[in-house]
């Protein structure tokens, strides 16, 4: 019987192709917008997550001062000392690698070109902490690090702008007026959450301290947490250690801050997820409006086909069969709309994702839910008109003009 | 003919509305219709013949009185039970043909079989057989818009007889047709009555058409005024 009812529904839809199409248009647009919005939103979330993870997973960034800024007024909190670094390495458990960083900006010059960039002074551990790879050349040797030799590893942006296609490894360039030898090029990392991560020159920290900053202070310490340990536990013991070493009185605020990259990642992906949900909700409203469109047309259809209903009742259709006929018709319409909407969403997402520079991620769950939702709309908004059709009096229905 | 009424009405009344606006359409009908009879129902409008036909067609229920169909009480059946009774034993032909538009003759004829749950093959065979009976086998794939009035009524008759009903109820079947077409339809009904043993109940106000019937029931003011037996030999 259900097979027959579906056959009847397709016949009825086929009889009014244009009207059927216009009826389902609301569902088509609704499903297409929900699915494409959520798909693109998920792509955006994935893109953000990937950018953040490029900062290094499970890395604690230790900086002097509070939060991002230096805090208002008062003396500037002191930088870290080499002894702090040693203490972290020796006294903290759950640490995979520790890298000190001093930062300086300056102009790099090679032959006729010059390029303004950021100089990081650090150790080879930085590569491990940040999961940076050297695409070309090599990392610092222990003796280069120890002696603070004038060697550097450059990011891809620096390579492009300074060397313009020439092979940089082995060449000598000048940075802030000091000559240094290029020993490696970093693998491309792209645009991170904090600007171009390829626009860097990495040098041994001792060199940067001696030639540029003039002291042995460390402005930032990066601590990579061992995967087997809980980041927040390590963060807590790191904070405790630093309070002790920096002689922060009990009850006083920290004069340093520890920044968990995972935390930023969670915050940012949380934000995009909420945005996706909001956009999805707006699109869901259009789906609802589409459902009302179906109900509207089905009601008109019931009135228009009153005579047909009368005929069916006269030749022996029971109320339930008439109800099923109109209900199935509404469901078939909304399911067709749902399928067309899914196809449209697929096309739209594949087309728009590259424009938004987000990956296209086909989410089976989202597609399934949207389709089931469109079917449910057919049931909900088809039921009322169908019940009305089924309740018609055959005599009145037959007399209807 | 043996006294074997397929339909038996006793003291049937029908009241529309309530209170002051109540209108008594039937004032107590007693009527027996024999198995295999060809009955014409006549009477001026408002005489209660349509109301009676609706009750006989199990589309409506009497306000009071009893209606026996094949010895079973119909007045106590609910809506769906009456629908099943119509599906099983009755066929309908209307003045306005009442075919589904944009639907082929065969699909129209198959409609009652759909509700009986017949499979595709059976529907096709029975549908084509019924169309053959009314002489429209070659028109099976035409929609009502492509058929003449006479042809549409034939399709409607095919739809009514495709289930081999016991009773065929025809409400002014020739009302929308010219006299030549009307006679053809009446000959078809007579043939079905004689050769297929279908009891035919027909409302008409044309004496020429009523002349095809064996029994004529005259209605007046909500009562059966007179029954003429054995009109057509």
């Amino acid at each position: 019987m259900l097979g027959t009812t579906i056959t009847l529904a397709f016949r009825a839809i086929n009889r009014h192709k244009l009207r059927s199409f216009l009826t389902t248009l609301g569902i088509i647009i609704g499903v297409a917008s929900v699915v494409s919005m959520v798909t693109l939103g998920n792509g955006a979330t994935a893109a953000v997550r990937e950018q953040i993870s490029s900062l290094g997973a499970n890395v604690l960034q230790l900086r002097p001062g509070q939060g991002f800024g230096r805090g208002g007024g008062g003396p500037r909190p002191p930088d870290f000392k080499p002894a702090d670094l040693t203490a972290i390495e020796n006294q903290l458990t759950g640490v995979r690698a520790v890298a000190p960083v001093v930062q300086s900006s300056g102009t790099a010059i090679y032959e006729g070109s010059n390029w303004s960039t950021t100089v990081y002074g650090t150790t080879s551990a930085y590569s491990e902490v940040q999961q940076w790879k050297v695409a070309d050349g090599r990392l610092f040797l222990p003796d280069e690090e120890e002696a603070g030799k004038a060697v550097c590893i450059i990011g891809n942006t620096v390579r492009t702008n300074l060397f313009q296609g020439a092979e940089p490894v082995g060449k000598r360039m000048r940075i802030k007026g000091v000559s240094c030898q290029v020993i490696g090029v970093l693998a491309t990392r792209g645009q991170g959450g904090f600007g171009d991560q390829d626009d860097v020159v990495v040098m041994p920290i001792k060199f940067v301290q001696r030639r540029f900053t003039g002291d042995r202070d460390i402005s930032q310490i990066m601590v990579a947490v061992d995967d087997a340990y809980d980041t927040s536990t390590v963060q807590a013991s790191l904070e405790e250690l630093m309070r002790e070493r920096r002689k922060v009185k009990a009850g006083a605020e920290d004069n340093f801050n520890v920044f968990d990259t995972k935390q930023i990642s969670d915050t940012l992906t949380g934000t995009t997820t909420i945005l996706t949900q909001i956009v999805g909700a707006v699109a869901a409203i259009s789906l609802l409006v589409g459902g009302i469109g179906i109900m509207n047309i089905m009601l008109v259809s019931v009135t228009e086909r009153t005579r047909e209903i009368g005929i069916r009742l006269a030749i022996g259709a029971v109320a339930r069969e008439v109800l099923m006929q109109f209900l199935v018709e509404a469901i078939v319409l909304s399911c067709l709309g749902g399928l067309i909407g899914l196809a449209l969403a697929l096309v739209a997402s594949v087309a728009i994702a590259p424009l938004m520079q987000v990956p296209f991620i086909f989410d089976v769950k989202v597609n399934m839910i949207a389709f089931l939702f469109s079917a449910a709309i057919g049931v909900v908004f088809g039921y009322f008109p169908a019940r009305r059709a089924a309740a018609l009096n055959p005599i009145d229905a037959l007399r209807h003009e | 003919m043996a006294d074997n009424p397929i339909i038996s009405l006793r003291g049937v009344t029908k009241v529309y509305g309530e209170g002051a606006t109540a209108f008594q359409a039937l004032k107590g009908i007693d009527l027996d219709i024999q198995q295999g009879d060809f009955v014409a129902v006549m009477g001026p409008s408002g005489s209660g013949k349509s109301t009676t036909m609706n009750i006989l067609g199990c589309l409506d229920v009497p306000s009071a009185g009893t209606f026996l169909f094949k010895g079973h009480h119909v007045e106590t059946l609910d809506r769906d039970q009456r629908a099943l009774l119509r599906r099983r034993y009755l066929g309908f032909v209307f003045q306005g043909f009442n075919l589904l538009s944009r639907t082929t003759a065969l699909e129209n004829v198959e409609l009652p079989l759909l509700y009986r749950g017949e499979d595709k093959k059976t529907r096709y065979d029975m549908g084509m057989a019924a169309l053959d009976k009314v002489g429209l086998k070659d028109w099976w794939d035409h929609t009502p818009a492509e058929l003449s009035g006479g042809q549409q009524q034939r399709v409607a008759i095919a739809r009514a007889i495709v289930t081999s009903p016991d009773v065929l109820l025809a409400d002014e079947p020739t009302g929308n047709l010219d006299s030549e077409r009307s006679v053809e339809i009446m000959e078809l009904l007579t043939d079905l009555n004689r050769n297929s043993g279908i009891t035919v109940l027909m409302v008409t106000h044309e004496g020429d058409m009523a002349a095809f019937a064996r029994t004529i029931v005259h209605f007046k003011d909500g009562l059966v005024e007179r029954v003429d037996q054995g009109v057509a030999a």
Side-chain angles (χ1 to χ4, degrees):
Chain A
M1 188 62 215
L2 190 65
T4 313
T5 318
I6 292 173
T7 312
L8 283 178
F10 273 104
R11 272 186 201 169
I13 290 165
N14 213 25
R15 252 179 258 150
H16 302 279
K17 286 194 189 70
L18 180 64
R19 192 175 69 184
S20 302
F21 171 71
L22 291 176
T23 307
T24 50
L25 202 55
I27 298 284
I28 293 173
I29 293 173
V31 168
S33 50
V34 170
V35 173
S36 51
M37 289 303 156
V38 173
T39 301
L40 292 173
N42 285 346
T45 308
V48 168
R49 190 172 290 138
E50 202 201 303
Q51 282 175 0
I52 306 260
S53 77
S54 73
L55 290 176
N58 294 336
V59 173
L60 300 173
Q61 295 184 5
L62 178 63
R63 297 164 194 258
Q66 288 165 354
F68 279 104
R70 290 269 178 196
R76 183 176 170 275
D79 280 343
F80 305 102
K81 305 294 174 196
D84 292 327
L85 190 70
T86 321
I88 292 169
E89 280 171 337
N90 296 337
Q91 294 175 29
L92 221 55
T93 46
V95 171
R96 186 163 51 84
V98 184
V101 178
V102 288
Q103 210 174 316
S104 177
S105 56
T107 307
I109 302 167
Y110 174 74
E111 290 179 347
S113 328
N114 59 71
W115 180 252
S116 200
T117 184
T118 309
V119 182
Y120 284 102
T122 184
T123 63
S124 287
Y126 191 75
S127 144
E128 196 180 334
V129 172
Q130 290 286 58
Q131 298 171 349
W132 281 23
K133 289 185 178 60
V134 173
D136 208 359
R138 59 176 174 83
L139 286 170
F140 309 126
L141 299 173
D143 69 302
E144 285 169 341
E145 245 168 52
E146 207 46 50
K149 282 191 178 160
V151 289
C152 64
I153 302 168
I154 60 174
N156 213 37
T157 304
V158 178
R159 174 202 197 150
T160 313
N161 288 287
L162 214 53
F163 291 89
Q164 280 137 359
E167 174 56 47
V169 177
K171 300 275 163 42
R172 293 196 78 84
M173 64 175 215
R174 293 183 79 79
I175 178 87
K176 295 186 82 164
V178 183
S179 170
C180 72
Q181 186 179 16
V182 179
I183 58 165
V185 178
L186 292 167
T188 309
R189 293 167 61 81
Q191 291 285 330
F194 302 98
D196 185 357
Q197 298 192 61
D198 294 321
D199 190 7
V200 289
V201 172
V202 184
M203 303 186 77
I205 187 165
K206 285 190 174 166
F207 178 87
V208 177
Q209 286 170 333
R210 190 172 63 233
R211 302 302 295 262
F212 302 151
T213 59
D215 53 32
R216 297 195 63 200
D217 288 355
I218 298 165
S219 55
Q220 191 184 344
I221 297 175
M222 317 274 274
V223 179
V225 177
D226 197 306
D227 286 341
Y229 289 82
D230 181 41
T231 312
S232 51
T233 314
V234 176
Q235 182 174 353
S237 38
L238 176 61
E239 279 166 359
E240 200 184 325
L241 177 69
M242 292 321 291
R243 279 180 77 89
E244 194 185 305
R245 292 194 60 83
R246 290 165 75 88
K247 299 183 175 61
V248 180
K249 291 192 185 75
E253 276 187 61
D254 292 348
N255 61 358
F256 62 91
N257 71 84
V258 178
F259 206 68
D260 180 1
T261 50
K262 193 168 169 296
Q263 210 176 314
I264 319 174
S265 164
D266 289 349
T267 311
L268 283 180
T269 53
T271 310
T272 48
T273 305
I274 289 169
L275 273 176
T276 305
Q277 284 166 351
I278 292 172
V279 174
V282 171
I285 291 172
S286 76
L287 196 51
L288 194 71
V289 174
I292 293 169
I294 286 218
M295 177 156 74
N296 199 353
I297 294 293
M298 289 310 289
L299 278 173
V300 170
S301 173
V302 166
T303 311
E304 194 191 86
R305 288 156 69 188
T306 300
R307 209 180 237 282
E308 174 194 328
I309 296 162
I311 297 166
R312 291 178 186 279
L313 289 170
I315 64 175
V318 296
R320 193 173 46 83
E321 286 163 340
V322 173
L323 180 110
M324 280 304 285
Q325 185 197 336
F326 279 83
L327 196 56
V328 167
E329 215 173 298
I331 295 170
V332 166
L333 269 183
S334 57
C335 284
L336 279 178
L339 286 179
I340 298 172
L342 288 186
L344 268 183
L346 189 70
V347 172
S349 310
V350 169
I352 297 172
L355 300 179
M356 280 175 61
Q357 296 187 321
V358 301
F360 168 74
I361 301 166
F362 184 80
D363 189 339
V364 178
K365 208 173 74 186
V366 169
N367 283 269
M368 284 291 289
I369 289 174
F371 179 71
L372 291 178
F373 194 72
S374 68
I377 277 183
V379 175
V380 171
F381 292 102
Y383 183 76
F384 177 60
R387 212 189 51 182
R388 215 162 133 154
L392 283 174
N393 177 334
I395 300 168
D396 297 340
L398 279 170
R399 251 184 235 136
H400 190 266
E401 291 304 320
Chain B
M1 189 181 294
D3 190 34
N4 175 28
I6 186 168
I7 286 168
S8 179
L9 299 181
R10 287 293 174 271
V12 166
T13 65
K14 183 70 189 180
V15 180
Y16 292 112
E18 279 171 37
T21 59
F23 168 70
Q24 188 156 26
L26 297 180
K27 296 170 180 166
I29 304 280
D30 295 328
L31 182 65
D32 284 337
I33 287 162
Q34 304 300 324
Q35 174 99 51
D37 202 356
F38 189 150
V39 182
V41 176
M42 300 192 75
S45 31
S47 62
K49 61 182 194 303
S50 292
T51 308
T52 308
M53 284 297 275
N54 286 338
I55 291 172
L56 293 178
C58 303
L59 293 166
D60 207 349
V61 283
S63 303
T66 58
F67 169 19
L68 293 178
F69 182 83
K70 291 188 143 195
H72 298 283
H73 284 274
V74 176
E75 74 275 5
T76 55
L77 299 181
D78 69 20
R79 199 183 136 102
D80 281 352
Q81 287 170 321
R82 280 183 281 121
L84 294 174
L85 197 148
R86 290 196 295 272
R87 181 187 297 190
R88 183 96 176 71
Y89 299 106
L90 306 181
F92 288 89
V93 176
F94 308 95
Q95 179 179 359
F97 319 136
N98 278 343
L99 297 174
L100 298 189
S101 60
R102 305 196 200 190
T103 306
T104 66
L106 181 63
E107 281 172 356
N108 265 294
V109 174
E110 281 182 343
L111 202 60
L113 301 173
L114 273 174
Y115 288 110
R116 283 195 169 195
E118 304 290 358
D119 63 43
K120 203 171 175 176
K121 173 87 171 62
T122 315
R123 289 204 307 264
Y124 179 82
D125 292 345
M126 291 174 79
M128 287 307 271
L131 280 173
D132 193 23
K133 240 178 192 169
V134 299
L136 285 177
K137 198 178 178 178
D138 298 335
W139 296 79
W140 68 273
D141 60 343
H142 287 66
T143 62
E146 299 162 356
L147 297 170
S148 71
Q151 286 173 321
Q152 288 187 53
Q153 193 61 301
R154 283 164 181 274
V155 173
I157 291 170
R159 182 181 64 192
I161 61 165
V162 72
T163 56
S164 312
D166 289 349
V167 179
L168 181 70
L169 293 111
D171 190 0
E172 303 202 26
T174 59
N176 286 7
L177 301 174
D178 61 40
S179 54
E180 203 176 322
R181 258 8 97 201
S182 298
V183 169
E184 282 176 25
I185 293 296
M186 291 317 298
E187 281 168 350
L188 179 57
L189 290 179
T190 310
D191 174 58
L192 291 169
N193 174 249
R194 300 256 167 90
N195 301 323
S196 303
I198 299 174
T199 307
V200 178
L201 279 174
M202 175 184 74
V203 173
T204 183
H205 40 229
E206 294 168 87
D208 299 353
M209 301 304 130
F212 282 87
R214 232 183 252 127
T215 304
I216 301 178
V217 181
H218 294 273
F219 274 79
K220 194 179 179 187
D221 299 331
L223 288 167
V224 174
E225 185 193 33
R226 189 174 85 244
V227 178
D228 297 335
Q229 297 281 0
V231 182

